[in-house]
Amino acid sequence: MQITVVKSKIHRVKVTGADLNYIGSITIDEDLMDAANIIQGEKVQIVNNNNGERLETYAIPGPRASGEITLNGAAARKVAKGDVLILICYAMMDIEEAKQFKPKLVFPNEETNLLN
């Protein structure tokens, strides 16, 4: 049997932009993606602390050391610049593996979205 567990989490980042006319996804500073072990194209759950919205999309890398967190496409309607988000990725694994697994948890600077 396999279960779904948290693989990666970027905790409390601020939205820096929302681009309705982009084809979709969330743009994340590539330094944050690396720190959280999130790869380009990976499915990301987005939890908006300001309005309670939860949605899923996929990650694309933004410029390093930029702090960029931009929701693109239809997801842009679910956020406002300055909203605080939690970004979560999950993985499937067997129960014994899951008991030993340690997720990558990233806590960037809440004002700049940069790694401390």
Side-chain angles (χ1 to χ4, degrees), residues 96-109:
E96 292 308 311
E97 182 183 7
K99 288 178 182 179
Q100 304 301 316
F101 182 76
K102 301 290 185 231
K104 294 285 187 171
L105 307 176
V106 178
F107 300 89
N109 180 296

Side-chain angles (χ1 to χ4, degrees), residues 56-115:
E56 293 178 342
T57 189
Y58 61 93
I60 61 172
R64 290 188 180 278
S66 66
E68 181 175 358
I69 302 292
T70 300
L71 277 290
N72 303 303
R77 294 196 183 274
K78 303 291 187 177
V79 300
K81 188 174 179 180
D83 282 359
V84 175
L85 308 180
I86 299 171
L87 310 178
I88 308 165
C89 295
Y90 300 91
M92 297 283 298
M93 56 188 73
D94 68 52
I95 291 173
E96 292 308 311
E97 182 183 7
K99 288 178 182 179
Q100 304 301 316
F101 182 76
K102 301 290 185 231
K104 294 285 187 171
L105 307 176
V106 178
F107 300 89
N109 180 296
E110 290 189 33
E111 293 304 313
T112 65
N113 293 342
L114 299 176
L115 297 171

Side-chain angles (χ1 to χ4, degrees), residues 9 13-14 19-20 31-32 39 45 50 53 55 59 61 63 65-67 70 73 75 81-82 85 89 98 101 112:
K9 180 169 111 171
V13 287
K14 286 188 180 176
D19 185 354
L20 184 60
D31 287 341
L32 293 174
I39 64 167
Q45 180 182 41
N50 291 79
E53 288 282 352
L55 61 112
S66 66
T70 300
K81 188 174 179 180
L85 308 180
C89 295
F101 182 76
T112 65

